[in-house]
Amino acid sequence: MQILIGQPQLESGLKQLETDIRNNQDLIDLVIYPEGYLNQNVEEACLLAQAYKVTIISGHKKPKDRAIIISRSGEIKLDRAKYDSSPIVEVEEVHIGFILCDELVLQGQGKVQGKELDLIVHPIGVGMFSEEQFEEWIKEAKKIAVQSKSMVIGTSHANGAFKNSEISIPIAYCIDQNGQEKFILKNDTRTIIYDTQADTIKYA
C-alpha cells in the first residue's frame, strides 16, 4: 500500500488535499491528513475520494472534532466523535485503528484493540507546544505500536498552535510494529509517500 502523509496549512477548503491527491494519483492508495482538516467539507472529500479512487483518513468538525475514514468509493466507513469508542475498520483488506490527536495520551492502547490490526492512524490537530510534548507523543506512539503489533502513522497541520502557546512544532511520523522509527519529521512539513510493501519513503 502507498500512503501519502500530508501536513497542510489550516484552511477553510480542501485545496491542499486535492492538490496532493491530483499530483500523486497514480502513486497512492491512501491519504492521511490532520485532525479537523476537512472542517465542514465532508461531502466534497467523499467526491474527491471517489473521483481519484483513494481512501482519505482525517478529521472534521460537526461541530466538535470527529474521526473520519472515507473509502475510495466515496463511502464513509467511520465517523465518530472524539473520545468515543473506535471500532477497527477494514479498508482494502487493511485493518485500521484510529487514534485522534490527544486520545494518544488520554486513552492510549485501550483505544484500539484487535487481533487483526494492521495500521493505526493518528491525525493530530496542530503542532506540539513543547519539545517535551514532542518526545512524549513519539514515545507513546512507539509503546502503542509494540503493544498492538501494528504500524502507527501520525501527522499534524503545518501551522496553528494549541490554545495560547507561542510554540508550534509540526510533526509527522511512522513507527513500525516493533517500535522502530520509519521516519520522524520535526519542523519539516514536506509531504511523504510511504510504500509499505517496498518499505520505501519519498517526498512528494
Side-chain angles (χ1 to χ4, degrees):
M1 175 176 280
Q2 303 244 34
I3 305 174
L4 184 148
I5 301 102
Q7 297 179 79
Q9 297 282 320
L10 290 162
E11 63 175 345
S12 58
L14 303 181
K15 182 178 180 181
Q16 292 162 97
L17 175 62
E18 183 172 8
T19 299
D20 265 345
I21 293 173
R22 185 177 63 247
N23 289 347
N24 301 285
Q25 60 183 300
D26 296 327
L27 301 174
I28 58 175
D29 305 296
L30 187 152
V31 174
I32 301 175
Y33 253 44
E35 175 193 39
Y37 174 79
L38 299 184
N39 290 304
Q40 307 300 322
N41 303 305
V42 170
E43 186 175 341
E44 182 181 347
C46 290
L47 293 175
L48 275 177
Q50 185 178 38
Y52 290 100
K53 301 293 185 285
V54 63
T55 296
I56 297 172
I57 300 179
S58 184
H60 71 109
K61 295 181 182 293
K62 190 184 174 183
K64 295 185 178 180
D65 287 312
R66 299 184 66 86
I68 191 165
I69 298 176
I70 303 169
S71 75
R72 65 174 62 221
S73 66
E75 177 188 1
I76 295 175
K77 304 286 287 187
L78 174 72
D79 184 7
R80 68 152 175 90
K82 195 172 186 177
Y83 310 126
D84 280 2
S85 60
S86 189
I88 294 172
V89 176
E90 183 177 351
V91 179
E92 306 294 327
E93 299 183 346
V94 176
H95 295 86
I96 300 174
F98 206 126
I99 294 176
L100 192 61
C101 201
D102 62 351
E103 291 178 344
L104 179 81
V105 290
L106 295 181
Q107 294 172 294
Q109 165 63 12
K111 193 70 192 182
V112 283
Q113 296 181 353
K115 294 180 180 179
E116 297 183 342
L117 194 58
D118 300 309
L119 169 67
I120 296 173
V121 293
H122 180 214
I124 303 164
V126 295
M128 305 287 96
F129 58 77
S130 68
E131 295 285 345
E132 291 76 18
Q133 186 197 14
F134 191 101
E135 296 301 325
E136 177 193 13
W137 284 37
I138 292 296
K139 181 178 179 181
E140 189 64 25
K142 288 180 178 181
K143 185 172 82 171
I144 289 173
V146 172
Q147 290 174 335
S148 63
K149 297 181 174 60
S150 64
M151 183 176 294
V152 183
I153 298 177
T155 188
S156 77
H157 286 95
N159 63 330
F162 179 73
K163 295 186 176 179
N164 296 319
S165 174
E166 296 180 357
I167 298 175
S168 179
I169 306 170
I171 178 174
Y173 71 86
C174 177
I175 309 296
D176 72 14
Q177 64 270 22
N178 298 311
Q180 300 300 307
E181 300 173 6
K182 290 295 182 183
F183 62 82
I184 304 262
L185 297 187
K186 178 181 179 182
N187 277 323
D188 179 350
T189 58
R190 289 176 291 177
T191 296
I192 278 184
I193 296 177
Y194 176 49
D195 186 329
T196 60
Q197 291 183 321
D199 194 23
T200 57
I201 295 165
K202 68 179 232 176
Y203 294 99

